[in-house]
Amino acid sequence: MNDHQTGNPSNTSIETLLTHAGRSPDDQFGFVNTPVYRGSTVLFKTLAELDAQSQRFLYGRAGNPTTESVEAVVTALEGAYRTKLVPSGLSAITIALMSCLKAGDDLLITDSAYEPGRKFANGFLERMGVTTRYYDPRIGAGLADLMLPNTRAVLAESPGSLTFEVQDIPALAAAAHAGGARLIVDNSWASPLYLKPLALGADIVVHAATKMFVGHSDAFAGTISTTEDAWADVERIRTLLGFFTSGDEAFLVARGLKTLAIRMKEHQERALEIAAWLEEQDEVTAVLHPALPSHPDHQLWKRDFTGSGSLFSFVAAPARREAVAAFVDHLELFTMGFSWGGYESLCLPVAIKSARTVQPWSDPGNLFRLHIGFEGIEDLKADLAAALGRYSRAR
Ligand SMILES: *Cc1c(COP(=O)(O)O)cnc(C)c1O
């Protein structure tokens, strides 16, 4: 019942893929899971084998059975040609960008993009002779007007992981392709369960596997999945740069993926319940969650997505910095930190104005980003209600 190339079962419901794809107990003495492979050297028996380079594995830096066990699952989920596991979500973005760009080329990035990706473009690609411009995340088909003859890549993130604008991926793909550029989509928020960017026209999909795939805040990884056309450039750049992901990290990603479907479902329900509840609280002026009917991109979200993630933001009425401190400093369950995707709830005040260049952020309120984890839902509401009370008294 397994396809030997990919280890994928032929019946393709997402739940079945997550539990069966990428595993091959026959190759592991019957053990259910592919164990951690640690290894640099891979041995060849004869000169003919060395010359042919046709073994499944040649050198540990290119991958091992543990890293492949993850790649097979993500390929199946994204409907991709192939996937590469890389050391972090950021390296997935940087490799994907470099696979499309060379000196003299131009890059377009959504103004809502994950900030370290912007810093890579401004701090590294610029030195290598690539220009970067930013576009309004709601530009849609208007992207065509920004395309230059040398624009070779467009980086989208939908929704933006701080401000949650939904992007029109089919329209972006059409404009990018008409101008000879590839469309890269950061799909970390929805996961491949709830959005399939390749089916909507994207060429490359990246994930911060650190977040939802791992799911327990204890490992770093990223994935790059591509169409057949985009694959060779991605794999060549990754090989040239020497990026390697350890079997230990890969094992934790593989383990996380087994429960991704049930975790996403649970995160989705809880995040939506808290988001709807926050909409009714006095100090809250806006809740930025695309699955809420009040969200300006709700229709677009409904058209392209089949579900929503753990992460959203809200805006609290304008107040001085002390009120923000009063909110976050005495939270009992929510904790403050970067990253997200684990079982534990997080709350992050966001200084959004400095992160935007094209589409200035004009809301005078304070922006907070929440990741909703698996604590008791009423306990989480009580924690937020107390924080909103402190905020109100301090403002
Ligand atoms: C965290 C994050 C990344 C980067 O992932 P790391 O594994 O931390 O490097 C990329 N994109 C989004 C949307 C993220 O939230």
Side-chain angles (χ1 to χ4, degrees), residues 263-295:
R263 285 187 290 108
M264 284 303 292
K265 198 160 155 258
E266 200 53 38
H267 282 300
Q268 162 169 251
E269 273 171 26
R270 291 154 161 275
L272 262 176
E273 182 171 340
I274 301 242
W277 175 83
L278 274 170
E279 273 194 314
E280 284 157 16
Q281 306 307 306
D282 282 346
E283 294 295 317
V284 175
T285 55
V287 178
L288 312 179
H289 188 316
L292 290 177
S294 61
H295 192 278

mmCIF file of all heavy atoms in Angstrom, residues 263-295:
data_model
loop_
_atom_site.group_PDB
_atom_site.id
_atom_site.type_symbol
_atom_site.label_atom_id
_atom_site.label_comp_id
_atom_site.label_asym_id
_atom_site.label_seq_id
_atom_site.Cartn_x
_atom_site.Cartn_y
_atom_site.Cartn_z
ATOM 1 N N ARG A 263 -4.185 18.902 16.680
ATOM 2 C CA ARG A 263 -3.763 20.138 17.354
ATOM 3 C C ARG A 263 -4.320 21.361 16.634
ATOM 4 O O ARG A 263 -4.807 22.305 17.256
ATOM 5 C CB ARG A 263 -2.232 20.209 17.436
ATOM 6 C CG ARG A 263 -1.642 19.281 18.505
ATOM 7 C CD ARG A 263 -0.144 19.486 18.704
ATOM 8 N NE ARG A 263 0.650 19.022 17.591
ATOM 9 C CZ ARG A 263 1.286 19.806 16.730
ATOM 10 N NH1 ARG A 263 1.251 21.121 16.876
ATOM 11 N NH2 ARG A 263 1.976 19.300 15.734
ATOM 12 N N MET A 264 -4.228 21.372 15.305
ATOM 13 C CA MET A 264 -4.734 22.533 14.550
ATOM 14 C C MET A 264 -6.222 22.756 14.817
ATOM 15 O O MET A 264 -6.687 23.884 14.964
ATOM 16 C CB MET A 264 -4.508 22.348 13.047
ATOM 17 C CG MET A 264 -3.087 22.557 12.562
ATOM 18 S SD MET A 264 -2.347 24.169 12.918
ATOM 19 C CE MET A 264 -3.318 25.255 11.876
ATOM 20 N N LYS A 265 -6.964 21.650 14.838
ATOM 21 C CA LYS A 265 -8.409 21.745 15.058
ATOM 22 C C LYS A 265 -8.692 22.383 16.418
ATOM 23 O O LYS A 265 -9.530 23.276 16.555
ATOM 24 C CB LYS A 265 -8.985 20.333 14.998
ATOM 25 C CG LYS A 265 -10.435 20.244 14.790
ATOM 26 C CD LYS A 265 -10.799 18.844 14.266
ATOM 27 C CE LYS A 265 -12.223 18.500 14.616
ATOM 28 N NZ LYS A 265 -12.384 17.606 15.752
ATOM 29 N N GLU A 266 -7.973 21.927 17.408
ATOM 30 C CA GLU A 266 -8.143 22.406 18.777
ATOM 31 C C GLU A 266 -7.693 23.878 18.896
ATOM 32 O O GLU A 266 -8.390 24.704 19.493
ATOM 33 C CB GLU A 266 -7.323 21.478 19.673
ATOM 34 C CG GLU A 266 -7.633 21.426 21.137
ATOM 35 C CD GLU A 266 -9.080 21.143 21.497
ATOM 36 O OE1 GLU A 266 -9.766 20.337 20.833
ATOM 37 O OE2 GLU A 266 -9.514 21.763 22.473
ATOM 38 N N HIS A 267 -6.525 24.205 18.299
ATOM 39 C CA HIS A 267 -6.052 25.602 18.307
ATOM 40 C C HIS A 267 -7.083 26.510 17.641
ATOM 41 O O HIS A 267 -7.375 27.606 18.120
ATOM 42 C CB HIS A 267 -4.729 25.732 17.542
ATOM 43 C CG HIS A 267 -3.508 25.286 18.291
ATOM 44 N ND1 HIS A 267 -3.102 25.862 19.480
ATOM 45 C CD2 HIS A 267 -2.583 24.335 18.014
ATOM 46 C CE1 HIS A 267 -1.980 25.280 19.895
ATOM 47 N NE2 HIS A 267 -1.651 24.337 19.034
ATOM 48 N N GLN A 268 -7.600 26.033 16.502
ATOM 49 C CA GLN A 268 -8.550 26.833 15.739
ATOM 50 C C GLN A 268 -9.774 27.184 16.576
ATOM 51 O O GLN A 268 -10.161 28.346 16.693
ATOM 52 C CB GLN A 268 -8.981 26.061 14.492
ATOM 53 C CG GLN A 268 -10.246 26.563 13.842
ATOM 54 C CD GLN A 268 -10.491 25.937 12.477
ATOM 55 O OE1 GLN A 268 -10.360 26.602 11.454
ATOM 56 N NE2 GLN A 268 -10.825 24.666 12.452
ATOM 57 N N GLU A 269 -10.372 26.180 17.193
ATOM 58 C CA GLU A 269 -11.599 26.404 17.967
ATOM 59 C C GLU A 269 -11.359 27.352 19.134
ATOM 60 O O GLU A 269 -12.146 28.256 19.403
ATOM 61 C CB GLU A 269 -12.103 25.073 18.536
ATOM 62 C CG GLU A 269 -12.996 24.341 17.569
ATOM 63 C CD GLU A 269 -13.326 22.936 18.044
ATOM 64 O OE1 GLU A 269 -13.295 22.693 19.282
ATOM 65 O OE2 GLU A 269 -13.587 22.081 17.174
ATOM 66 N N ARG A 270 -10.229 27.114 19.832
ATOM 67 C CA ARG A 270 -9.952 27.925 21.013
ATOM 68 C C ARG A 270 -9.638 29.365 20.638
ATOM 69 O O ARG A 270 -10.099 30.306 21.288
ATOM 70 C CB ARG A 270 -8.762 27.322 21.760
ATOM 71 C CG ARG A 270 -9.090 26.021 22.369
ATOM 72 C CD ARG A 270 -7.842 25.173 22.531
ATOM 73 N NE ARG A 270 -8.156 24.173 23.508
ATOM 74 C CZ ARG A 270 -8.044 24.383 24.808
ATOM 75 N NH1 ARG A 270 -7.535 25.491 25.275
ATOM 76 N NH2 ARG A 270 -8.414 23.456 25.642
ATOM 77 N N ALA A 271 -8.816 29.534 19.575
ATOM 78 C CA ALA A 271 -8.448 30.890 19.162
ATOM 79 C C ALA A 271 -9.696 31.658 18.733
ATOM 80 O O ALA A 271 -9.867 32.827 19.084
ATOM 81 C CB ALA A 271 -7.430 30.837 18.023
ATOM 82 N N LEU A 272 -10.591 30.990 18.011
ATOM 83 C CA LEU A 272 -11.807 31.665 17.559
ATOM 84 C C LEU A 272 -12.701 32.043 18.735
ATOM 85 O O LEU A 272 -13.296 33.129 18.759
ATOM 86 C CB LEU A 272 -12.582 30.755 16.606
ATOM 87 C CG LEU A 272 -12.373 31.025 15.128
ATOM 88 C CD1 LEU A 272 -13.104 29.994 14.293
ATOM 89 C CD2 LEU A 272 -12.844 32.439 14.766
ATOM 90 N N GLU A 273 -12.785 31.146 19.709
ATOM 91 C CA GLU A 273 -13.637 31.466 20.865
ATOM 92 C C GLU A 273 -13.090 32.677 21.617
ATOM 93 O O GLU A 273 -13.828 33.597 21.979
ATOM 94 C CB GLU A 273 -13.743 30.247 21.807
ATOM 95 C CG GLU A 273 -14.653 30.561 22.975
ATOM 96 C CD GLU A 273 -15.007 29.366 23.842
ATOM 97 O OE1 GLU A 273 -14.880 28.210 23.381
ATOM 98 O OE2 GLU A 273 -15.406 29.622 25.005
ATOM 99 N N ILE A 274 -11.770 32.707 21.822
ATOM 100 C CA ILE A 274 -11.184 33.842 22.543
ATOM 101 C C ILE A 274 -11.290 35.117 21.706
ATOM 102 O O ILE A 274 -11.556 36.207 22.223
ATOM 103 C CB ILE A 274 -9.707 33.547 22.902
ATOM 104 C CG1 ILE A 274 -9.668 32.283 23.778
ATOM 105 C CG2 ILE A 274 -9.047 34.768 23.548
ATOM 106 C CD1 ILE A 274 -9.132 32.431 25.153
ATOM 107 N N ALA A 275 -11.088 34.999 20.387
ATOM 108 C CA ALA A 275 -11.166 36.183 19.517
ATOM 109 C C ALA A 275 -12.570 36.782 19.576
ATOM 110 O O ALA A 275 -12.732 38.001 19.707
ATOM 111 C CB ALA A 275 -10.796 35.799 18.081
ATOM 112 N N ALA A 276 -13.598 35.926 19.495
ATOM 113 C CA ALA A 276 -14.985 36.419 19.524
ATOM 114 C C ALA A 276 -15.287 37.045 20.888
ATOM 115 O O ALA A 276 -15.954 38.085 20.978
ATOM 116 C CB ALA A 276 -15.946 35.278 19.221
ATOM 117 N N TRP A 277 -14.767 36.434 21.928
ATOM 118 C CA TRP A 277 -14.972 36.976 23.282
ATOM 119 C C TRP A 277 -14.292 38.331 23.425
ATOM 120 O O TRP A 277 -14.859 39.282 23.972
ATOM 121 C CB TRP A 277 -14.425 35.960 24.301
ATOM 122 C CG TRP A 277 -14.446 36.422 25.714
ATOM 123 C CD1 TRP A 277 -15.493 36.386 26.581
ATOM 124 C CD2 TRP A 277 -13.341 37.007 26.438
ATOM 125 N NE1 TRP A 277 -15.112 36.901 27.811
ATOM 126 C CE2 TRP A 277 -13.803 37.286 27.739
ATOM 127 C CE3 TRP A 277 -12.023 37.308 26.109
ATOM 128 C CZ2 TRP A 277 -12.982 37.850 28.723
ATOM 129 C CZ3 TRP A 277 -11.197 37.873 27.074
ATOM 130 C CH2 TRP A 277 -11.690 38.142 28.364
ATOM 131 N N LEU A 278 -13.068 38.456 22.877
ATOM 132 C CA LEU A 278 -12.336 39.726 22.978
ATOM 133 C C LEU A 278 -13.084 40.850 22.267
ATOM 134 O O LEU A 278 -13.045 42.008 22.711
ATOM 135 C CB LEU A 278 -10.930 39.584 22.376
ATOM 136 C CG LEU A 278 -9.850 39.049 23.315
ATOM 137 C CD1 LEU A 278 -8.576 38.740 22.517
ATOM 138 C CD2 LEU A 278 -9.538 40.040 24.443
ATOM 139 N N GLU A 279 -13.767 40.520 21.169
ATOM 140 C CA GLU A 279 -14.504 41.549 20.423
ATOM 141 C C GLU A 279 -15.537 42.254 21.302
ATOM 142 O O GLU A 279 -15.926 43.372 21.022
ATOM 143 C CB GLU A 279 -15.228 40.934 19.209
ATOM 144 C CG GLU A 279 -14.379 40.849 17.974
ATOM 145 C CD GLU A 279 -15.184 40.567 16.709
ATOM 146 O OE1 GLU A 279 -16.042 39.662 16.749
ATOM 147 O OE2 GLU A 279 -14.939 41.241 15.690
ATOM 148 N N GLU A 280 -15.977 41.572 22.350
ATOM 149 C CA GLU A 280 -17.010 42.161 23.221
ATOM 150 C C GLU A 280 -16.453 42.884 24.433
ATOM 151 O O GLU A 280 -17.220 43.414 25.245
ATOM 152 C CB GLU A 280 -17.959 41.046 23.684
ATOM 153 C CG GLU A 280 -18.908 40.643 22.580
ATOM 154 C CD GLU A 280 -19.464 39.253 22.768
ATOM 155 O OE1 GLU A 280 -19.365 38.711 23.905
ATOM 156 O OE2 GLU A 280 -19.970 38.701 21.786
ATOM 157 N N GLN A 281 -15.150 42.904 24.592
ATOM 158 C CA GLN A 281 -14.575 43.530 25.783
ATOM 159 C C GLN A 281 -14.380 45.039 25.574
ATOM 160 O O GLN A 281 -14.024 45.476 24.466
ATOM 161 C CB GLN A 281 -13.227 42.867 26.141
ATOM 162 C CG GLN A 281 -13.312 41.357 26.295
ATOM 163 C CD GLN A 281 -14.402 40.922 27.274
ATOM 164 O OE1 GLN A 281 -14.443 41.374 28.417
ATOM 165 N NE2 GLN A 281 -15.306 40.070 26.809
ATOM 166 N N ASP A 282 -14.618 45.788 26.657
ATOM 167 C CA ASP A 282 -14.624 47.256 26.572
ATOM 168 C C ASP A 282 -13.348 47.872 25.996
ATOM 169 O O ASP A 282 -13.406 48.757 25.181
ATOM 170 C CB ASP A 282 -14.851 47.855 27.973
ATOM 171 C CG ASP A 282 -16.321 47.758 28.350
ATOM 172 O OD1 ASP A 282 -17.132 47.499 27.433
ATOM 173 O OD2 ASP A 282 -16.629 47.921 29.545
ATOM 174 N N GLU A 283 -12.200 47.426 26.462
ATOM 175 C CA GLU A 283 -10.948 48.088 26.059
ATOM 176 C C GLU A 283 -10.507 47.722 24.643
ATOM 177 O O GLU A 283 -9.572 48.307 24.116
ATOM 178 C CB GLU A 283 -9.813 47.715 27.032
ATOM 179 C CG GLU A 283 -10.005 48.243 28.445
ATOM 180 C CD GLU A 283 -9.977 49.766 28.493
ATOM 181 O OE1 GLU A 283 -9.118 50.365 27.827
ATOM 182 O OE2 GLU A 283 -10.824 50.336 29.198
ATOM 183 N N VAL A 284 -11.157 46.715 24.054
ATOM 184 C CA VAL A 284 -10.691 46.187 22.756
ATOM 185 C C VAL A 284 -11.381 46.934 21.620
ATOM 186 O O VAL A 284 -12.609 46.954 21.524
ATOM 187 C CB VAL A 284 -10.981 44.668 22.668
ATOM 188 C CG1 VAL A 284 -10.610 44.124 21.293
ATOM 189 C CG2 VAL A 284 -10.210 43.929 23.766
ATOM 190 N N THR A 285 -10.583 47.555 20.737
ATOM 191 C CA THR A 285 -11.177 48.316 19.632
ATOM 192 C C THR A 285 -11.214 47.522 18.330
ATOM 193 O O THR A 285 -11.976 47.854 17.432
ATOM 194 C CB THR A 285 -10.402 49.638 19.401
ATOM 195 O OG1 THR A 285 -9.023 49.325 19.190
ATOM 196 C CG2 THR A 285 -10.520 50.543 20.619
ATOM 197 N N ALA A 286 -10.376 46.488 18.190
ATOM 198 C CA ALA A 286 -10.422 45.649 16.982
ATOM 199 C C ALA A 286 -9.790 44.300 17.297
ATOM 200 O O ALA A 286 -8.848 44.212 18.085
ATOM 201 C CB ALA A 286 -9.668 46.306 15.832
ATOM 202 N N VAL A 287 -10.327 43.247 16.666
ATOM 203 C CA VAL A 287 -9.711 41.920 16.753
ATOM 204 C C VAL A 287 -9.340 41.518 15.331
ATOM 205 O O VAL A 287 -10.190 41.519 14.437
ATOM 206 C CB VAL A 287 -10.658 40.884 17.387
ATOM 207 C CG1 VAL A 287 -9.999 39.508 17.416
ATOM 208 C CG2 VAL A 287 -11.037 41.312 18.805
ATOM 209 N N LEU A 288 -8.051 41.241 15.121
ATOM 210 C CA LEU A 288 -7.545 40.973 13.774
ATOM 211 C C LEU A 288 -7.426 39.462 13.567
ATOM 212 O O LEU A 288 -6.369 38.873 13.754
ATOM 213 C CB LEU A 288 -6.180 41.645 13.571
ATOM 214 C CG LEU A 288 -6.091 43.123 14.006
ATOM 215 C CD1 LEU A 288 -4.684 43.664 13.778
ATOM 216 C CD2 LEU A 288 -7.116 43.969 13.273
ATOM 217 N N HIS A 289 -8.556 38.852 13.218
ATOM 218 C CA HIS A 289 -8.598 37.402 13.006
ATOM 219 C C HIS A 289 -9.437 37.166 11.756
ATOM 220 O O HIS A 289 -10.643 37.441 11.757
ATOM 221 C CB HIS A 289 -9.223 36.718 14.230
ATOM 222 C CG HIS A 289 -9.138 35.222 14.180
ATOM 223 N ND1 HIS A 289 -9.416 34.492 13.052
ATOM 224 C CD2 HIS A 289 -8.796 34.319 15.133
ATOM 225 C CE1 HIS A 289 -9.251 33.202 13.315
ATOM 226 N NE2 HIS A 289 -8.866 33.070 14.562
ATOM 227 N N PRO A 290 -8.820 36.657 10.651
ATOM 228 C CA PRO A 290 -9.539 36.599 9.382
ATOM 229 C C PRO A 290 -10.774 35.700 9.376
ATOM 230 O O PRO A 290 -11.635 35.834 8.490
ATOM 231 C CB PRO A 290 -8.493 36.076 8.381
ATOM 232 C CG PRO A 290 -7.289 35.721 9.161
ATOM 233 C CD PRO A 290 -7.418 36.243 10.542
ATOM 234 N N ALA A 291 -10.909 34.807 10.356
ATOM 235 C CA ALA A 291 -12.098 33.938 10.378
ATOM 236 C C ALA A 291 -13.278 34.618 11.071
ATOM 237 O O ALA A 291 -14.373 34.057 11.110
ATOM 238 C CB ALA A 291 -11.772 32.611 11.051
ATOM 239 N N LEU A 292 -13.072 35.823 11.611
ATOM 240 C CA LEU A 292 -14.197 36.575 12.184
ATOM 241 C C LEU A 292 -14.885 37.354 11.061
ATOM 242 O O LEU A 292 -14.211 37.997 10.250
ATOM 243 C CB LEU A 292 -13.705 37.571 13.231
ATOM 244 C CG LEU A 292 -13.177 37.006 14.543
ATOM 245 C CD1 LEU A 292 -12.672 38.151 15.430
ATOM 246 C CD2 LEU A 292 -14.238 36.194 15.268
ATOM 247 N N PRO A 293 -16.222 37.329 11.012
ATOM 248 C CA PRO A 293 -16.943 38.075 9.967
ATOM 249 C C PRO A 293 -16.598 39.565 9.947
ATOM 250 O O PRO A 293 -16.720 40.215 8.908
ATOM 251 C CB PRO A 293 -18.417 37.849 10.322
ATOM 252 C CG PRO A 293 -18.413 36.567 11.096
ATOM 253 C CD PRO A 293 -17.113 36.532 11.848
ATOM 254 N N SER A 294 -16.140 40.115 11.073
ATOM 255 C CA SER A 294 -15.797 41.545 11.126
ATOM 256 C C SER A 294 -14.480 41.856 10.415
ATOM 257 O O SER A 294 -14.160 43.026 10.185
ATOM 258 C CB SER A 294 -15.667 41.979 12.591
ATOM 259 O OG SER A 294 -14.631 41.234 13.231
ATOM 260 N N HIS A 295 -13.692 40.831 10.079
ATOM 261 C CA HIS A 295 -12.371 41.088 9.478
ATOM 262 C C HIS A 295 -12.519 41.552 8.032
ATOM 263 O O HIS A 295 -13.290 40.970 7.266
ATOM 264 C CB HIS A 295 -11.523 39.812 9.539
ATOM 265 C CG HIS A 295 -10.076 40.043 9.212
ATOM 266 N ND1 HIS A 295 -9.621 40.117 7.921
ATOM 267 C CD2 HIS A 295 -8.997 40.238 10.006
ATOM 268 C CE1 HIS A 295 -8.306 40.335 7.943
ATOM 269 N NE2 HIS A 295 -7.910 40.410 9.196
#
